[in-house]
């Protein structure tokens, strides 16, 4: 049984390279509370110290770190932010990652998704080839980014969230779409 959906944690999700972090940073610059993406931080930390908990090396360990850090981020966001918090991804992203990677379902992750709830509306940014770029932490091809988007949408729906797709455009327009939908 799901606990009530926490109204102040709002997820922005989507495949890699869709402008999520740029949008989160823009909202932060406008004075909103934000929570950074844990997956990218894990990759950057692992690369920096020569670790192996990386999607292309020890994907199960990487997914485990995503799971634990996503719960910790949720707990810290709830405890430290009474206002709306825009989250760069959420726990269902970890489930989508496991599915995309062919890793087995994790019952603890499913329980956590049902326990640590976000605002009922999650915002998804669609694939956008014109802005897609690879870097040290983003190694997927654009076609993999499209596949990720499809699996993320299906996963968020299965987890009980209403997805609102944010139209492509300047970051100010994308932020305005979200703020209008949330009446902020």
């Amino acid at each position: 049984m799901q606990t009530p959906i926490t109204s102040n944690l709002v997820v922005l999700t989507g495949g890699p390279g869709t402008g999520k972090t740029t949008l989160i940073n823009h909202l932060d610059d406008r004075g909103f509370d934000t929570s950074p993406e844990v997956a990218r931080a894990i990759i950057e930390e692992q690369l920096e110290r020569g670790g192996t908990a990386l999607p292309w090396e020890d994907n199960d360990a990487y997914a485990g770190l995503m799971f634990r850090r996503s719960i910790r981020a949720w707990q810290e966001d709830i405890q430290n932010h009474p206002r709306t918090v825009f989250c760069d991804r959420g726990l269902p992203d970890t489930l989508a990652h496991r599915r995309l990677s062919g890793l087995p379902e994790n019952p603890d992750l499913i329980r956590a998704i049902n326990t640590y709830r976000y605002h009922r509306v999650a915002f998804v940014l669609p694939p956008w080839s014109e802005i897609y770029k690879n870097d040290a932490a983003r190694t997927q091809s654009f076609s993999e980014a499209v596949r990720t988007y499809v699996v993320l949408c299906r996963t968020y729906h299965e987890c009980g969230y209403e997805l609102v797709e944010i139209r492509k455009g300047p970051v100010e327009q994308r932020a305005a779409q979200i703020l209008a939908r949330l009446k902020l």
Side-chain angles (χ1 to χ4, degrees), residues 2-3 5 90-96 99 105 109-120 122 151-163:
Q2 293 179 346
T3 58
I5 295 178
L91 269 164
D93 285 80
T94 303
L95 178 58
R99 289 175 172 174
E105 293 281 324
L109 175 58
I110 302 301
R111 279 191 292 280
I113 288 169
N114 289 326
T115 301
Y116 301 100
R117 302 294 293 172
Y118 302 89
H119 190 283
R120 66 178 181 77
V151 173
L152 279 167
C153 288
R154 186 172 56 239
T155 302
Y156 268 86
H157 281 298
E158 287 174 14
C159 292
Y161 291 95
E162 175 189 342
L163 275 182

PDB file of all heavy atoms in Angstrom, residues 2-3 5 90-96 99 105 109-120 122 151-163:
ATOM      1  N   GLN A   2       0.534   2.204  -0.854  1.00  0.00           N
ATOM      2  CA  GLN A   2       1.316   3.420  -0.963  1.00  0.00           C
ATOM      3  C   GLN A   2       0.939   4.403   0.135  1.00  0.00           C
ATOM      4  O   GLN A   2      -0.221   4.531   0.496  1.00  0.00           O
ATOM      5  CB  GLN A   2       1.088   4.077  -2.318  1.00  0.00           C
ATOM      6  CG  GLN A   2       1.630   3.251  -3.456  1.00  0.00           C
ATOM      7  CD  GLN A   2       1.369   3.907  -4.794  1.00  0.00           C
ATOM      8  OE1 GLN A   2       0.587   4.831  -4.906  1.00  0.00           O
ATOM      9  NE2 GLN A   2       2.039   3.410  -5.811  1.00  0.00           N
ATOM     10  N   THR A   3       1.960   5.101   0.642  1.00  0.00           N
ATOM     11  CA  THR A   3       1.712   6.175   1.593  1.00  0.00           C
ATOM     12  C   THR A   3       1.249   7.389   0.812  1.00  0.00           C
ATOM     13  O   THR A   3       1.395   7.440  -0.408  1.00  0.00           O
ATOM     14  CB  THR A   3       2.993   6.495   2.383  1.00  0.00           C
ATOM     15  OG1 THR A   3       4.007   6.840   1.456  1.00  0.00           O
ATOM     16  CG2 THR A   3       3.436   5.336   3.237  1.00  0.00           C
ATOM     17  N   ILE A   5       1.092  10.741  -1.180  1.00  0.00           N
ATOM     18  CA  ILE A   5       2.119  11.343  -2.012  1.00  0.00           C
ATOM     19  C   ILE A   5       2.558  12.651  -1.377  1.00  0.00           C
ATOM     20  O   ILE A   5       1.744  13.488  -1.030  1.00  0.00           O
ATOM     21  CB  ILE A   5       1.612  11.553  -3.452  1.00  0.00           C
ATOM     22  CG1 ILE A   5       1.350  10.183  -4.090  1.00  0.00           C
ATOM     23  CG2 ILE A   5       2.591  12.361  -4.273  1.00  0.00           C
ATOM     24  CD1 ILE A   5       0.801  10.231  -5.487  1.00  0.00           C
ATOM     25  N   GLY A  90      14.123  10.903  -9.594  1.00  0.00           N
ATOM     26  CA  GLY A  90      13.558  10.335  -8.372  1.00  0.00           C
ATOM     27  C   GLY A  90      13.802   8.840  -8.319  1.00  0.00           C
ATOM     28  O   GLY A  90      14.418   8.259  -9.219  1.00  0.00           O
ATOM     29  N   LEU A  91      13.303   8.206  -7.276  1.00  0.00           N
ATOM     30  CA  LEU A  91      13.499   6.757  -7.101  1.00  0.00           C
ATOM     31  C   LEU A  91      13.017   5.926  -8.293  1.00  0.00           C
ATOM     32  O   LEU A  91      13.673   4.944  -8.641  1.00  0.00           O
ATOM     33  CB  LEU A  91      12.811   6.282  -5.825  1.00  0.00           C
ATOM     34  CG  LEU A  91      13.690   6.309  -4.580  1.00  0.00           C
ATOM     35  CD1 LEU A  91      12.841   6.207  -3.323  1.00  0.00           C
ATOM     36  CD2 LEU A  91      14.718   5.205  -4.624  1.00  0.00           C
ATOM     37  N   PRO A  92      11.903   6.265  -8.949  1.00  0.00           N
ATOM     38  CA  PRO A  92      11.514   5.465 -10.115  1.00  0.00           C
ATOM     39  C   PRO A  92      12.564   5.463 -11.229  1.00  0.00           C
ATOM     40  O   PRO A  92      12.620   4.518 -12.024  1.00  0.00           O
ATOM     41  CB  PRO A  92      10.197   6.111 -10.574  1.00  0.00           C
ATOM     42  CG  PRO A  92       9.616   6.661  -9.305  1.00  0.00           C
ATOM     43  CD  PRO A  92      10.818   7.194  -8.560  1.00  0.00           C
ATOM     44  N   ASP A  93      13.431   6.475 -11.267  1.00  0.00           N
ATOM     45  CA  ASP A  93      14.517   6.472 -12.252  1.00  0.00           C
ATOM     46  C   ASP A  93      15.465   5.300 -12.011  1.00  0.00           C
ATOM     47  O   ASP A  93      16.005   4.727 -12.958  1.00  0.00           O
ATOM     48  CB  ASP A  93      15.307   7.785 -12.186  1.00  0.00           C
ATOM     49  CG  ASP A  93      14.554   8.931 -12.810  1.00  0.00           C
ATOM     50  OD1 ASP A  93      13.661   9.491 -12.144  1.00  0.00           O
ATOM     51  OD2 ASP A  93      14.841   9.263 -13.973  1.00  0.00           O
ATOM     52  N   THR A  94      15.665   4.940 -10.736  1.00  0.00           N
ATOM     53  CA  THR A  94      16.532   3.800 -10.419  1.00  0.00           C
ATOM     54  C   THR A  94      15.903   2.507 -10.929  1.00  0.00           C
ATOM     55  O   THR A  94      16.590   1.647 -11.482  1.00  0.00           O
ATOM     56  CB  THR A  94      16.788   3.725  -8.899  1.00  0.00           C
ATOM     57  OG1 THR A  94      17.367   4.959  -8.473  1.00  0.00           O
ATOM     58  CG2 THR A  94      17.719   2.577  -8.546  1.00  0.00           C
ATOM     59  N   LEU A  95      14.593   2.363 -10.758  1.00  0.00           N
ATOM     60  CA  LEU A  95      13.896   1.186 -11.279  1.00  0.00           C
ATOM     61  C   LEU A  95      14.006   1.141 -12.805  1.00  0.00           C
ATOM     62  O   LEU A  95      14.287   0.083 -13.385  1.00  0.00           O
ATOM     63  CB  LEU A  95      12.434   1.202 -10.836  1.00  0.00           C
ATOM     64  CG  LEU A  95      11.557   0.061 -11.345  1.00  0.00           C
ATOM     65  CD1 LEU A  95      12.107  -1.300 -10.921  1.00  0.00           C
ATOM     66  CD2 LEU A  95      10.118   0.248 -10.840  1.00  0.00           C
ATOM     67  N   ALA A  96      13.813   2.287 -13.455  1.00  0.00           N
ATOM     68  CA  ALA A  96      13.941   2.338 -14.918  1.00  0.00           C
ATOM     69  C   ALA A  96      15.355   1.961 -15.343  1.00  0.00           C
ATOM     70  O   ALA A  96      15.539   1.221 -16.321  1.00  0.00           O
ATOM     71  CB  ALA A  96      13.576   3.725 -15.432  1.00  0.00           C
ATOM     72  N   ARG A  99      15.747  -1.762 -15.176  1.00  0.00           N
ATOM     73  CA  ARG A  99      15.032  -2.392 -16.287  1.00  0.00           C
ATOM     74  C   ARG A  99      15.799  -2.227 -17.595  1.00  0.00           C
ATOM     75  O   ARG A  99      15.923  -3.180 -18.379  1.00  0.00           O
ATOM     76  CB  ARG A  99      13.635  -1.803 -16.414  1.00  0.00           C
ATOM     77  CG  ARG A  99      12.727  -2.224 -15.276  1.00  0.00           C
ATOM     78  CD  ARG A  99      11.387  -1.550 -15.332  1.00  0.00           C
ATOM     79  NE  ARG A  99      10.482  -2.134 -14.340  1.00  0.00           N
ATOM     80  CZ  ARG A  99       9.279  -1.666 -14.089  1.00  0.00           C
ATOM     81  NH1 ARG A  99       8.794  -0.631 -14.761  1.00  0.00           N
ATOM     82  NH2 ARG A  99       8.524  -2.254 -13.179  1.00  0.00           N
ATOM     83  N   GLU A 105      14.678  -7.323 -10.810  1.00  0.00           N
ATOM     84  CA  GLU A 105      13.863  -6.444  -9.966  1.00  0.00           C
ATOM     85  C   GLU A 105      14.346  -6.562  -8.530  1.00  0.00           C
ATOM     86  O   GLU A 105      14.746  -7.638  -8.085  1.00  0.00           O
ATOM     87  CB  GLU A 105      12.379  -6.850 -10.047  1.00  0.00           C
ATOM     88  CG  GLU A 105      11.761  -6.624 -11.405  1.00  0.00           C
ATOM     89  CD  GLU A 105      11.361  -5.186 -11.687  1.00  0.00           C
ATOM     90  OE1 GLU A 105      10.919  -4.489 -10.755  1.00  0.00           O
ATOM     91  OE2 GLU A 105      11.500  -4.764 -12.846  1.00  0.00           O
ATOM     92  N   LEU A 109      13.667  -1.961  -3.535  1.00  0.00           N
ATOM     93  CA  LEU A 109      13.464  -0.754  -4.334  1.00  0.00           C
ATOM     94  C   LEU A 109      11.969  -0.509  -4.550  1.00  0.00           C
ATOM     95  O   LEU A 109      11.498   0.616  -4.415  1.00  0.00           O
ATOM     96  CB  LEU A 109      14.196  -0.870  -5.672  1.00  0.00           C
ATOM     97  CG  LEU A 109      13.976   0.259  -6.677  1.00  0.00           C
ATOM     98  CD1 LEU A 109      14.366   1.616  -6.108  1.00  0.00           C
ATOM     99  CD2 LEU A 109      14.753  -0.033  -7.965  1.00  0.00           C
ATOM    100  N   ILE A 110      11.229  -1.552  -4.861  1.00  0.00           N
ATOM    101  CA  ILE A 110       9.775  -1.415  -5.054  1.00  0.00           C
ATOM    102  C   ILE A 110       9.122  -0.905  -3.771  1.00  0.00           C
ATOM    103  O   ILE A 110       8.283   0.006  -3.809  1.00  0.00           O
ATOM    104  CB  ILE A 110       9.146  -2.754  -5.507  1.00  0.00           C
ATOM    105  CG1 ILE A 110       9.788  -3.265  -6.801  1.00  0.00           C
ATOM    106  CG2 ILE A 110       7.637  -2.639  -5.632  1.00  0.00           C
ATOM    107  CD1 ILE A 110       9.669  -2.326  -7.980  1.00  0.00           C
ATOM    108  N   ARG A 111       9.505  -1.468  -2.625  1.00  0.00           N
ATOM    109  CA  ARG A 111       8.966  -0.991  -1.340  1.00  0.00           C
ATOM    110  C   ARG A 111       9.315   0.475  -1.110  1.00  0.00           C
ATOM    111  O   ARG A 111       8.485   1.261  -0.661  1.00  0.00           O
ATOM    112  CB  ARG A 111       9.472  -1.856  -0.184  1.00  0.00           C
ATOM    113  CG  ARG A 111       8.698  -3.145  -0.001  1.00  0.00           C
ATOM    114  CD  ARG A 111       9.055  -3.850   1.307  1.00  0.00           C
ATOM    115  NE  ARG A 111      10.409  -4.378   1.318  1.00  0.00           N
ATOM    116  CZ  ARG A 111      10.777  -5.520   0.734  1.00  0.00           C
ATOM    117  NH1 ARG A 111       9.879  -6.270   0.124  1.00  0.00           N
ATOM    118  NH2 ARG A 111      12.028  -5.919   0.783  1.00  0.00           N
ATOM    119  N   ALA A 112      10.545   0.845  -1.425  1.00  0.00           N
ATOM    120  CA  ALA A 112      10.975   2.232  -1.235  1.00  0.00           C
ATOM    121  C   ALA A 112      10.182   3.183  -2.138  1.00  0.00           C
ATOM    122  O   ALA A 112       9.780   4.264  -1.701  1.00  0.00           O
ATOM    123  CB  ALA A 112      12.473   2.361  -1.506  1.00  0.00           C
ATOM    124  N   ILE A 113       9.941   2.781  -3.366  1.00  0.00           N
ATOM    125  CA  ILE A 113       9.165   3.614  -4.290  1.00  0.00           C
ATOM    126  C   ILE A 113       7.750   3.828  -3.752  1.00  0.00           C
ATOM    127  O   ILE A 113       7.177   4.905  -3.904  1.00  0.00           O
ATOM    128  CB  ILE A 113       9.152   2.996  -5.706  1.00  0.00           C
ATOM    129  CG1 ILE A 113      10.532   3.162  -6.350  1.00  0.00           C
ATOM    130  CG2 ILE A 113       8.055   3.590  -6.577  1.00  0.00           C
ATOM    131  CD1 ILE A 113      10.729   2.383  -7.626  1.00  0.00           C
ATOM    132  N   ASN A 114       7.203   2.824  -3.113  1.00  0.00           N
ATOM    133  CA  ASN A 114       5.867   2.941  -2.529  1.00  0.00           C
ATOM    134  C   ASN A 114       5.863   3.708  -1.212  1.00  0.00           C
ATOM    135  O   ASN A 114       4.815   4.172  -0.779  1.00  0.00           O
ATOM    136  CB  ASN A 114       5.252   1.558  -2.333  1.00  0.00           C
ATOM    137  CG  ASN A 114       4.877   0.921  -3.651  1.00  0.00           C
ATOM    138  OD1 ASN A 114       4.484   1.608  -4.592  1.00  0.00           O
ATOM    139  ND2 ASN A 114       5.028  -0.375  -3.740  1.00  0.00           N
ATOM    140  N   THR A 115       7.012   3.842  -0.579  1.00  0.00           N
ATOM    141  CA  THR A 115       7.119   4.536   0.704  1.00  0.00           C
ATOM    142  C   THR A 115       7.526   5.990   0.525  1.00  0.00           C
ATOM    143  O   THR A 115       6.921   6.890   1.115  1.00  0.00           O
ATOM    144  CB  THR A 115       8.158   3.828   1.609  1.00  0.00           C
ATOM    145  OG1 THR A 115       7.735   2.487   1.814  1.00  0.00           O
ATOM    146  CG2 THR A 115       8.298   4.530   2.948  1.00  0.00           C
ATOM    147  N   TYR A 116       8.552   6.224  -0.260  1.00  0.00           N
ATOM    148  CA  TYR A 116       9.107   7.570  -0.446  1.00  0.00           C
ATOM    149  C   TYR A 116       8.472   8.186  -1.690  1.00  0.00           C
ATOM    150  O   TYR A 116       8.979   8.040  -2.796  1.00  0.00           O
ATOM    151  CB  TYR A 116      10.633   7.499  -0.566  1.00  0.00           C
ATOM    152  CG  TYR A 116      11.281   6.889   0.642  1.00  0.00           C
ATOM    153  CD1 TYR A 116      11.697   5.561   0.642  1.00  0.00           C
ATOM    154  CD2 TYR A 116      11.460   7.633   1.804  1.00  0.00           C
ATOM    155  CE1 TYR A 116      12.288   4.996   1.762  1.00  0.00           C
ATOM    156  CE2 TYR A 116      12.046   7.074   2.928  1.00  0.00           C
ATOM    157  CZ  TYR A 116      12.455   5.756   2.899  1.00  0.00           C
ATOM    158  OH  TYR A 116      13.028   5.205   4.010  1.00  0.00           O
ATOM    159  N   ARG A 117       7.369   8.870  -1.474  1.00  0.00           N
ATOM    160  CA  ARG A 117       6.566   9.380  -2.581  1.00  0.00           C
ATOM    161  C   ARG A 117       6.862  10.854  -2.863  1.00  0.00           C
ATOM    162  O   ARG A 117       7.215  11.615  -1.967  1.00  0.00           O
ATOM    163  CB  ARG A 117       5.077   9.203  -2.283  1.00  0.00           C
ATOM    164  CG  ARG A 117       4.652   7.763  -2.021  1.00  0.00           C
ATOM    165  CD  ARG A 117       4.788   6.872  -3.214  1.00  0.00           C
ATOM    166  NE  ARG A 117       3.852   7.260  -4.256  1.00  0.00           N
ATOM    167  CZ  ARG A 117       3.840   6.750  -5.471  1.00  0.00           C
ATOM    168  NH1 ARG A 117       4.717   5.829  -5.817  1.00  0.00           N
ATOM    169  NH2 ARG A 117       2.959   7.150  -6.350  1.00  0.00           N
ATOM    170  N   TYR A 118       6.699  11.216  -4.110  1.00  0.00           N
ATOM    171  CA  TYR A 118       6.890  12.578  -4.591  1.00  0.00           C
ATOM    172  C   TYR A 118       5.519  13.173  -4.924  1.00  0.00           C
ATOM    173  O   TYR A 118       4.492  12.498  -4.823  1.00  0.00           O
ATOM    174  CB  TYR A 118       7.768  12.571  -5.840  1.00  0.00           C
ATOM    175  CG  TYR A 118       9.130  11.934  -5.621  1.00  0.00           C
ATOM    176  CD1 TYR A 118       9.315  10.561  -5.800  1.00  0.00           C
ATOM    177  CD2 TYR A 118      10.214  12.697  -5.218  1.00  0.00           C
ATOM    178  CE1 TYR A 118      10.551   9.973  -5.600  1.00  0.00           C
ATOM    179  CE2 TYR A 118      11.463  12.116  -5.013  1.00  0.00           C
ATOM    180  CZ  TYR A 118      11.621  10.754  -5.205  1.00  0.00           C
ATOM    181  OH  TYR A 118      12.843  10.173  -4.995  1.00  0.00           O
ATOM    182  N   HIS A 119       5.516  14.410  -5.360  1.00  0.00           N
ATOM    183  CA  HIS A 119       4.287  15.045  -5.851  1.00  0.00           C
ATOM    184  C   HIS A 119       3.681  14.132  -6.907  1.00  0.00           C
ATOM    185  O   HIS A 119       4.406  13.480  -7.668  1.00  0.00           O
ATOM    186  CB  HIS A 119       4.644  16.407  -6.445  1.00  0.00           C
ATOM    187  CG  HIS A 119       3.463  17.257  -6.768  1.00  0.00           C
ATOM    188  ND1 HIS A 119       2.686  17.058  -7.881  1.00  0.00           N
ATOM    189  CD2 HIS A 119       2.923  18.307  -6.107  1.00  0.00           C
ATOM    190  CE1 HIS A 119       1.718  17.958  -7.911  1.00  0.00           C
ATOM    191  NE2 HIS A 119       1.831  18.730  -6.844  1.00  0.00           N
ATOM    192  N   ARG A 120       2.357  14.082  -6.960  1.00  0.00           N
ATOM    193  CA  ARG A 120       1.684  13.147  -7.875  1.00  0.00           C
ATOM    194  C   ARG A 120       1.973  13.440  -9.345  1.00  0.00           C
ATOM    195  O   ARG A 120       1.881  12.561 -10.198  1.00  0.00           O
ATOM    196  CB  ARG A 120       0.179  13.135  -7.638  1.00  0.00           C
ATOM    197  CG  ARG A 120      -0.500  14.423  -7.983  1.00  0.00           C
ATOM    198  CD  ARG A 120      -2.019  14.356  -7.783  1.00  0.00           C
ATOM    199  NE  ARG A 120      -2.635  15.608  -8.147  1.00  0.00           N
ATOM    200  CZ  ARG A 120      -2.849  16.017  -9.389  1.00  0.00           C
ATOM    201  NH1 ARG A 120      -2.507  15.248 -10.403  1.00  0.00           N
ATOM    202  NH2 ARG A 120      -3.402  17.177  -9.629  1.00  0.00           N
ATOM    203  N   ALA A 122       4.745  14.354 -12.087  1.00  0.00           N
ATOM    204  CA  ALA A 122       6.179  14.394 -12.398  1.00  0.00           C
ATOM    205  C   ALA A 122       6.308  14.981 -13.798  1.00  0.00           C
ATOM    206  O   ALA A 122       5.457  14.758 -14.659  1.00  0.00           O
ATOM    207  CB  ALA A 122       6.783  12.997 -12.339  1.00  0.00           C
ATOM    208  N   VAL A 151      11.204   4.006 -21.402  1.00  0.00           N
ATOM    209  CA  VAL A 151      11.154   3.177 -20.192  1.00  0.00           C
ATOM    210  C   VAL A 151      10.840   4.037 -18.964  1.00  0.00           C
ATOM    211  O   VAL A 151      10.069   3.627 -18.096  1.00  0.00           O
ATOM    212  CB  VAL A 151      12.464   2.373 -20.013  1.00  0.00           C
ATOM    213  CG1 VAL A 151      12.496   1.651 -18.681  1.00  0.00           C
ATOM    214  CG2 VAL A 151      12.613   1.376 -21.166  1.00  0.00           C
ATOM    215  N   LEU A 152      11.401   5.232 -18.891  1.00  0.00           N
ATOM    216  CA  LEU A 152      11.091   6.133 -17.770  1.00  0.00           C
ATOM    217  C   LEU A 152       9.604   6.473 -17.727  1.00  0.00           C
ATOM    218  O   LEU A 152       8.984   6.433 -16.656  1.00  0.00           O
ATOM    219  CB  LEU A 152      11.899   7.426 -17.877  1.00  0.00           C
ATOM    220  CG  LEU A 152      13.329   7.381 -17.387  1.00  0.00           C
ATOM    221  CD1 LEU A 152      14.090   8.620 -17.849  1.00  0.00           C
ATOM    222  CD2 LEU A 152      13.375   7.252 -15.878  1.00  0.00           C
ATOM    223  N   CYS A 153       9.036   6.803 -18.871  1.00  0.00           N
ATOM    224  CA  CYS A 153       7.605   7.142 -18.914  1.00  0.00           C
ATOM    225  C   CYS A 153       6.762   5.967 -18.433  1.00  0.00           C
ATOM    226  O   CYS A 153       5.863   6.142 -17.593  1.00  0.00           O
ATOM    227  CB  CYS A 153       7.196   7.563 -20.327  1.00  0.00           C
ATOM    228  SG  CYS A 153       7.824   9.173 -20.823  1.00  0.00           S
ATOM    229  N   ARG A 154       7.040   4.786 -18.940  1.00  0.00           N
ATOM    230  CA  ARG A 154       6.293   3.600 -18.535  1.00  0.00           C
ATOM    231  C   ARG A 154       6.462   3.342 -17.042  1.00  0.00           C
ATOM    232  O   ARG A 154       5.500   3.060 -16.327  1.00  0.00           O
ATOM    233  CB  ARG A 154       6.741   2.392 -19.358  1.00  0.00           C
ATOM    234  CG  ARG A 154       5.913   1.145 -19.087  1.00  0.00           C
ATOM    235  CD  ARG A 154       6.229  -0.009 -20.029  1.00  0.00           C
ATOM    236  NE  ARG A 154       7.635  -0.356 -20.011  1.00  0.00           N
ATOM    237  CZ  ARG A 154       8.428  -0.330 -21.092  1.00  0.00           C
ATOM    238  NH1 ARG A 154       7.968   0.012 -22.263  1.00  0.00           N
ATOM    239  NH2 ARG A 154       9.708  -0.668 -20.987  1.00  0.00           N
ATOM    240  N   THR A 155       7.676   3.478 -16.531  1.00  0.00           N
ATOM    241  CA  THR A 155       7.959   3.206 -15.122  1.00  0.00           C
ATOM    242  C   THR A 155       7.241   4.203 -14.219  1.00  0.00           C
ATOM    243  O   THR A 155       6.627   3.804 -13.221  1.00  0.00           O
ATOM    244  CB  THR A 155       9.485   3.225 -14.867  1.00  0.00           C
ATOM    245  OG1 THR A 155      10.101   2.234 -15.713  1.00  0.00           O
ATOM    246  CG2 THR A 155       9.806   2.930 -13.421  1.00  0.00           C
ATOM    247  N   TYR A 156       7.305   5.483 -14.527  1.00  0.00           N
ATOM    248  CA  TYR A 156       6.623   6.482 -13.693  1.00  0.00           C
ATOM    249  C   TYR A 156       5.111   6.244 -13.683  1.00  0.00           C
ATOM    250  O   TYR A 156       4.469   6.350 -12.637  1.00  0.00           O
ATOM    251  CB  TYR A 156       6.967   7.910 -14.130  1.00  0.00           C
ATOM    252  CG  TYR A 156       8.158   8.451 -13.379  1.00  0.00           C
ATOM    253  CD1 TYR A 156       9.459   8.207 -13.821  1.00  0.00           C
ATOM    254  CD2 TYR A 156       8.004   9.168 -12.197  1.00  0.00           C
ATOM    255  CE1 TYR A 156      10.558   8.675 -13.131  1.00  0.00           C
ATOM    256  CE2 TYR A 156       9.096   9.642 -11.493  1.00  0.00           C
ATOM    257  CZ  TYR A 156      10.368   9.394 -11.955  1.00  0.00           C
ATOM    258  OH  TYR A 156      11.459   9.851 -11.243  1.00  0.00           O
ATOM    259  N   HIS A 157       4.545   5.910 -14.833  1.00  0.00           N
ATOM    260  CA  HIS A 157       3.103   5.596 -14.874  1.00  0.00           C
ATOM    261  C   HIS A 157       2.801   4.389 -13.991  1.00  0.00           C
ATOM    262  O   HIS A 157       1.841   4.418 -13.211  1.00  0.00           O
ATOM    263  CB  HIS A 157       2.636   5.340 -16.314  1.00  0.00           C
ATOM    264  CG  HIS A 157       2.415   6.578 -17.099  1.00  0.00           C
ATOM    265  ND1 HIS A 157       1.476   7.530 -16.774  1.00  0.00           N
ATOM    266  CD2 HIS A 157       3.038   7.032 -18.217  1.00  0.00           C
ATOM    267  CE1 HIS A 157       1.514   8.517 -17.649  1.00  0.00           C
ATOM    268  NE2 HIS A 157       2.457   8.244 -18.530  1.00  0.00           N
ATOM    269  N   GLU A 158       3.596   3.330 -14.113  1.00  0.00           N
ATOM    270  CA  GLU A 158       3.386   2.123 -13.290  1.00  0.00           C
ATOM    271  C   GLU A 158       3.512   2.426 -11.802  1.00  0.00           C
ATOM    272  O   GLU A 158       2.874   1.769 -10.982  1.00  0.00           O
ATOM    273  CB  GLU A 158       4.397   1.039 -13.666  1.00  0.00           C
ATOM    274  CG  GLU A 158       4.139   0.383 -14.994  1.00  0.00           C
ATOM    275  CD  GLU A 158       5.258  -0.576 -15.376  1.00  0.00           C
ATOM    276  OE1 GLU A 158       6.094  -0.935 -14.514  1.00  0.00           O
ATOM    277  OE2 GLU A 158       5.302  -0.976 -16.556  1.00  0.00           O
ATOM    278  N   CYS A 159       4.335   3.396 -11.454  1.00  0.00           N
ATOM    279  CA  CYS A 159       4.540   3.759 -10.044  1.00  0.00           C
ATOM    280  C   CYS A 159       3.480   4.734  -9.537  1.00  0.00           C
ATOM    281  O   CYS A 159       3.550   5.183  -8.392  1.00  0.00           O
ATOM    282  CB  CYS A 159       5.939   4.349  -9.863  1.00  0.00           C
ATOM    283  SG  CYS A 159       7.270   3.139 -10.092  1.00  0.00           S
ATOM    284  N   GLY A 160       2.506   5.059 -10.374  1.00  0.00           N
ATOM    285  CA  GLY A 160       1.372   5.865  -9.926  1.00  0.00           C
ATOM    286  C   GLY A 160       1.505   7.363 -10.098  1.00  0.00           C
ATOM    287  O   GLY A 160       0.762   8.127  -9.473  1.00  0.00           O
ATOM    288  N   TYR A 161       2.401   7.803 -10.952  1.00  0.00           N
ATOM    289  CA  TYR A 161       2.578   9.235 -11.169  1.00  0.00           C
ATOM    290  C   TYR A 161       1.915   9.672 -12.465  1.00  0.00           C
ATOM    291  O   TYR A 161       1.856   8.916 -13.435  1.00  0.00           O
ATOM    292  CB  TYR A 161       4.070   9.591 -11.217  1.00  0.00           C
ATOM    293  CG  TYR A 161       4.725   9.430  -9.872  1.00  0.00           C
ATOM    294  CD1 TYR A 161       5.382   8.253  -9.537  1.00  0.00           C
ATOM    295  CD2 TYR A 161       4.643  10.431  -8.912  1.00  0.00           C
ATOM    296  CE1 TYR A 161       5.963   8.080  -8.292  1.00  0.00           C
ATOM    297  CE2 TYR A 161       5.211  10.269  -7.653  1.00  0.00           C
ATOM    298  CZ  TYR A 161       5.868   9.092  -7.356  1.00  0.00           C
ATOM    299  OH  TYR A 161       6.425   8.920  -6.113  1.00  0.00           O
ATOM    300  N   GLU A 162       1.427  10.895 -12.457  1.00  0.00           N
ATOM    301  CA  GLU A 162       0.918  11.523 -13.668  1.00  0.00           C
ATOM    302  C   GLU A 162       2.098  12.259 -14.306  1.00  0.00           C
ATOM    303  O   GLU A 162       2.722  13.105 -13.655  1.00  0.00           O
ATOM    304  CB  GLU A 162      -0.186  12.523 -13.327  1.00  0.00           C
ATOM    305  CG  GLU A 162      -0.695  13.319 -14.499  1.00  0.00           C
ATOM    306  CD  GLU A 162      -1.637  14.441 -14.104  1.00  0.00           C
ATOM    307  OE1 GLU A 162      -2.178  14.423 -12.984  1.00  0.00           O
ATOM    308  OE2 GLU A 162      -1.812  15.349 -14.934  1.00  0.00           O
ATOM    309  N   LEU A 163       2.412  11.930 -15.548  1.00  0.00           N
ATOM    310  CA  LEU A 163       3.531  12.577 -16.228  1.00  0.00           C
ATOM    311  C   LEU A 163       3.037  13.725 -17.097  1.00  0.00           C
ATOM    312  O   LEU A 163       2.056  13.576 -17.833  1.00  0.00           O
ATOM    313  CB  LEU A 163       4.265  11.586 -17.126  1.00  0.00           C
ATOM    314  CG  LEU A 163       5.334  10.724 -16.490  1.00  0.00           C
ATOM    315  CD1 LEU A 163       5.984   9.831 -17.535  1.00  0.00           C
ATOM    316  CD2 LEU A 163       6.388  11.542 -15.789  1.00  0.00           C
TER     317      LEU A 163
END
